[in-house]
Amino acid sequence: MATTEQREREEVAERLLAASARHSFDPDTELDWDAPLVPGLWFMPAHLVSLYDTPLWRRMTEEQRIELSRHETASVAAAGIWFEIILMQLLARHIRGQDPRTGHVRYAFTEVADECRHSMMFARLITTLGTPWYGPGRTTRRLGALMAATAPTPAAFLGTLLAEEILDRNQRATMADETVQPLVRGVTRIHVVEEARHVRYAREELRRQMTTAPAWERAYARLSSGESALVVSRTLVHPRVYASVGLDPDEAQRQARASEHRRETLRWSAERLTSFLDEIGVLRGRTVLAQWRRSGLL
């Protein structure tokens, strides 16, 4: 006989499967990839660009600012692909050995299919933007590979939420902003709609895991969360984007990290997530909180 936990997990999965059947998209046919980019429009809202309201920003022309938004959008898309590859590995590890007839596993398969489409969509967006490939550096890639191969279930779902919820908050602002390129708004709209289901799935599972998982797995999730937060926050904007628009990368990074507006933007992007993590007991302990503050997300 199914336990209460199993019944609740199945109820959530069946609702998410029904929502997926109603609202899933094929980016190749849903979006007009052949339409030219609109001169003078941004590639993300101006206030989300990392250098917004810094001394460097005030010296840049409007054309340079828009060009920086183009490269930062490509950098975020590249980070998104990397995050989603890790997520797919974590989901595969999570359901390995579980009964594939259950709604919980069937939804995991559905999410993997969604993430494959999202990664192809982001790659096509980068191609259309005509920028370099801003993938993460070697050390960051190795940390991601280690997490994908070894993280116990609570840490895996926590890492998933870190990437998904921060991107989601920024993309919700982007898709509603008419100063942004129509193609970028279309990409973010598809991602937001489908990612909302992924967030629900991960939140529900992480809430259960932080109650039922072995104590060492819950402790691991707490201790690793701050380091994961730092990796996510530092991966979104690759230093090479600054060089691509004629800025000194070291100085640009220094000003972005010193910017109170940027720090507020990072905290805003993570505030719904950090509120949830505090509620379920993740944000506990001096070391954990110090790591989160270092990431700029708390």
Side-chain angles (χ1 to χ4, degrees), residues 24-207:
S24 289
F25 303 95
D26 179 355
D28 285 339
T29 58
E30 187 76 21
L31 301 172
D32 186 357
W33 294 98
D34 296 323
L37 297 172
V38 182
L41 290 188
W42 294 77
F43 295 84
M44 63 172 61
H47 69 276
L48 295 182
V49 179
S50 64
L51 290 177
Y52 182 81
D53 202 29
T54 62
L56 268 176
W57 180 266
R58 290 190 283 274
R59 293 199 297 268
M60 294 167 69
T61 65
E62 186 81 348
E63 184 180 359
Q64 283 180 305
R65 294 169 179 175
I66 291 175
E67 183 68 0
L68 179 58
S69 78
R70 181 167 72 96
H71 286 269
E72 289 200 11
T73 294
S75 178
V76 171
I81 293 170
W82 180 67
F83 294 149
E84 288 178 341
I85 290 171
I86 294 173
L87 167 58
M88 288 186 275
Q89 293 175 273
L90 292 171
L91 281 172
R93 285 183 55 227
H94 172 60
I95 63 175
R96 185 172 56 204
Q98 294 191 39
D99 187 342
R101 297 170 298 176
T102 64
H104 184 73
V105 173
R106 284 166 47 225
Y107 184 73
F109 289 142
T110 301
E111 183 168 336
V112 168
D114 288 346
E115 300 296 17
C116 284
R117 292 196 306 276
H118 294 170
S119 294
M120 291 187 289
M121 176 175 69
F122 288 158
R124 191 167 183 180
L125 176 63
I126 295 168
T127 300
T128 302
L129 295 180
T131 67
W133 167 250
Y134 294 117
R138 181 182 301 175
T139 300
T140 302
R141 291 200 307 272
R142 287 176 174 171
L143 286 171
L146 180 64
M147 177 186 179
T150 64
T153 300
F157 278 98
L158 200 156
T160 296
L161 280 173
L162 260 167
E164 288 182 334
E165 296 218 31
I166 290 168
L167 286 177
D168 180 75
R169 196 80 194 272
N170 285 276
Q171 289 179 337
R172 285 178 185 272
T174 299
M175 73 179 191
D177 192 327
E178 294 185 358
T179 69
V180 174
Q181 295 284 345
L183 177 61
V184 176
R185 293 176 65 199
V187 167
T188 56
R189 177 181 60 85
I190 289 174
H191 197 248
V192 163
V193 170
E194 297 189 339
E195 210 69 17
R197 301 190 292 265
H198 304 174
V199 168
R200 174 71 188 282
Y201 184 76
R203 277 193 173 215
E204 293 292 335
E205 189 61 29
L206 181 58
R207 186 188 295 276

Side-chain angles (χ1 to χ4, degrees), residues 211-246:
T211 302
T212 62
W216 76 268
E217 290 190 1
R218 286 178 277 141
Y220 184 99
R222 291 188 188 96
L223 289 171
S224 66
S225 67
E227 190 62 36
S228 296
L230 183 62
V231 169
V232 169
S233 68
R234 295 286 175 86
T235 301
L236 294 174
V237 179
H238 197 288
R240 282 194 292 119
V241 304
Y242 302 122
S244 294
V245 296

Side-chain angles (χ1 to χ4, degrees), residues 8-24:
E8 290 175 350
R9 177 189 266 177
E10 285 299 283
E11 287 171 4
V12 169
E14 292 298 339
R15 286 197 295 272
L16 294 175
L17 284 165
S20 296
R22 291 193 303 270
H23 301 294
S24 289

